[in-house]
Amino acid sequence: ACNPACAACGVGVHEQRVLALGQVYHASCFTCSHCKAAIGVGRFVEHEGLPYCEADYYAIYGGRPEAVRGGEDARHSVLIRIRPAAVREFALGHTELWHEVKRELRE
């Protein structure tokens, strides 16, 4: 099995992957661009392609964010943890989607 490299540290991600901003991260490596606090699988705001914790985004930019990610709001992207066993199960049960998912993880 191929373990993609974390976009932040470059080390292969084996468990507790976070898929955000079109990349894969270790949960501990996905951090706020301003304060560097770990966002992990929590909510974040994307601004000009960078992740911010909500507190920093509002403090720096104010107003309504362009895109709040995570949480339960179905209109926004949701961060996910990917367990290797779940990936295998998904691939076996959804072969028609698997190639698209792999392409998204690479991008």
Side-chain angles (χ1 to χ4, degrees):
C2 176
N3 293 310
C6 174
C9 73
V11 175
V13 181
H14 303 283
E15 292 190 19
Q16 291 192 350
R17 297 176 187 178
V18 173
L19 176 60
L21 306 176
Q23 300 187 66
V24 177
Y25 298 85
H26 294 106
S28 61
C29 290
F30 186 62
T31 61
C32 173
S33 294
H34 183 72
C35 71
K36 308 301 182 207
I39 296 170
V41 296
R43 291 172 56 95
F44 71 100
V45 180
E46 176 183 359
H47 182 77
E48 297 181 353
L50 298 173
Y52 290 86
C53 65
E54 289 183 282
D56 282 342
Y57 177 86
Y58 291 117
I60 296 166
Y61 301 106
R64 178 96 177 117
E66 299 160 11
V68 176
R69 303 285 175 95
E72 297 299 321
D73 190 338
R75 294 174 297 154
H76 298 117
S77 297
V78 176
L79 297 177
I80 57 172
R81 293 180 200 221
I82 304 173
R83 294 179 326 222
V87 171
R88 284 189 295 279
E89 183 177 326
F90 177 84
L92 292 172
H94 302 282
T95 55
E96 71 282 358
L97 296 175
W98 179 236
H99 296 292
E100 185 177 336
V101 171
K102 287 192 326 187
R103 184 174 49 252
E104 286 293 321
L105 289 172
R106 284 193 298 268
E107 292 178 357

